[in-house]
Amino acid sequence: MDGPAIEMRGLGHSYNGSPVLHNIDLTIERGEVFGFLGHNGAGKTTTVNILTTLITPTHGTALVNGYDVITDRRRVNAHIGYLPSEVRMYPHMTARENLTFFAELSGVESPNRAVAETLEYLDCSELADLRVGSFSTGMRQRIGIAQAIVHRPSVLFLDEPTAGLDPAGIRQLRRTILDLNADLGMTVFMNTHQLSEVSKVCTTIGVLNHGELIYKDSMEATMRRFPDEMSLEDIYVRMGGVPA
């Protein structure tokens, strides 16, 4: 499929008449790992909710794999995976049962095989027959990622994926993102506050400040642009990526 993985033009959204996104113009090419930075309330999750068809934008357009998030929702959903900040699964069911249920809903051929292959790929087959209700945050997230990719999407959305993880869990997540991008060619769109992780996994970053996109460039170009800064935190503040 030709064209960018994600394209937004004049995208905006309001809640009860109060704008939270202001005419976002943003293109993310296929194969990028894109880090979307911003303070709490900047509009990052609203953007992801629009791109994953959970809410409808107030104005503007957004395309995922060339499909409109308003008029082609079913096709968008067939091409994306989504890991929300709070992973939601049926706690009384095992990991395998949760994943099989989702795979069947997604129309995956041979769902049992797809689930087994996904668990093996993520190195968490030992969790397959355990009830999700007994899982730690890290275990839930691993199965959440499995759920997000069991149908092999081309675009993966991660909303604050490091929330609640310990350092070992963060390192494991980092490896998973890099592997999904390298092995399966997935484009990754990641909302995050963990600036240190952005420098390790992202090829491109964008900064959202009070609903406005104030910066977008490659990670390499960003580090060249701010050679005098000691850390990404300093770069982030200098670009205005903090609440006023």
Side-chain angles (χ1 to χ4, degrees):
M1 187 176 293
D2 297 328
I6 300 169
E7 188 172 11
M8 296 172 246
R9 291 290 175 263
L11 191 68
H13 192 72
S14 299
Y15 290 110
N16 298 320
S18 298
V20 293
L21 286 182
H22 304 275
N23 300 316
I24 303 297
D25 292 325
L26 177 61
T27 299
I28 299 169
E29 301 297 338
R30 295 180 189 279
E32 287 190 29
V33 179
F34 180 78
F36 204 34
L37 306 171
H39 57 83
N40 287 334
K44 303 188 308 298
T45 296
T46 296
T47 304
V48 167
N49 285 343
I50 290 172
L51 295 174
T52 56
T53 77
L54 295 176
I55 62 175
T56 301
T58 305
H59 60 268
T61 60
L63 305 177
V64 179
N65 269 359
Y67 298 117
D68 191 287
V69 299
I70 300 175
T71 60
D72 287 320
R73 290 189 177 190
R74 290 184 63 183
R75 288 180 175 176
V76 170
N77 287 327
H79 286 81
I80 66 172
Y82 175 44
L83 180 71
S85 56
E86 294 184 9
V87 179
R88 297 179 180 87
M89 287 176 285
Y90 294 105
H92 64 284
M93 295 167 59
T94 66
R96 189 193 308 276
E97 289 168 342
N98 270 281
L99 294 174
T100 301
F101 176 69
F102 181 79
E104 290 172 346
L105 284 180
S106 300
V108 173
E109 291 187 18
S110 304
N112 292 332
R113 184 178 66 187
V115 167
E117 290 176 349
T118 300
L119 289 169
E120 182 178 1
Y121 177 79
L122 295 175
D123 195 25
C124 53
S125 297
E126 75 281 3
L127 303 179
D129 297 312
L130 302 179
R131 295 187 185 277
V132 170
S134 67
F135 285 3
S136 67
T137 299
M139 293 162 68
R140 287 180 64 87
Q141 195 212 50
R142 290 171 69 189
I143 300 304
I145 293 175
Q147 180 175 294
I149 69 167
V150 69
H151 58 305
R152 296 300 184 268
S154 56
V155 182
L156 177 63
F157 292 94
L158 306 173
D159 192 6
E160 298 292 354
T162 59
L165 294 181
D166 60 21
I170 292 174
R171 286 196 299 271
Q172 185 173 58
L173 173 69
R174 183 193 310 153
R175 290 194 300 268
T176 298
I177 292 171
L178 293 173
D179 288 345
L180 291 172
N181 179 252
D183 298 342
L184 304 180
M186 287 186 188
T187 302
V188 180
F189 186 110
M190 179 173 66
N191 285 350
T192 183
H193 287 101
Q194 294 287 338
L195 302 181
S196 59
E197 292 309 302
V198 167
S199 67
K200 293 180 176 68
V201 303
C202 292
T203 57
T204 312
I205 66 169
V207 177
L208 197 65
N209 190 27
H210 296 292
E212 296 185 4
L213 184 69
I214 62 171
Y215 183 85
K216 190 255 184 178
D217 210 337
S218 70
M219 194 70 248
E220 182 180 1
T222 299
M223 300 307 291
R224 287 200 307 266
R225 180 176 175 182
F226 299 97
D228 58 323
E229 300 294 340
M230 297 300 294
S231 68
L232 272 178
E233 284 82 359
D234 293 331
I235 294 173
Y236 186 51
V237 171
R238 184 163 162 177
M239 287 189 293
V242 292

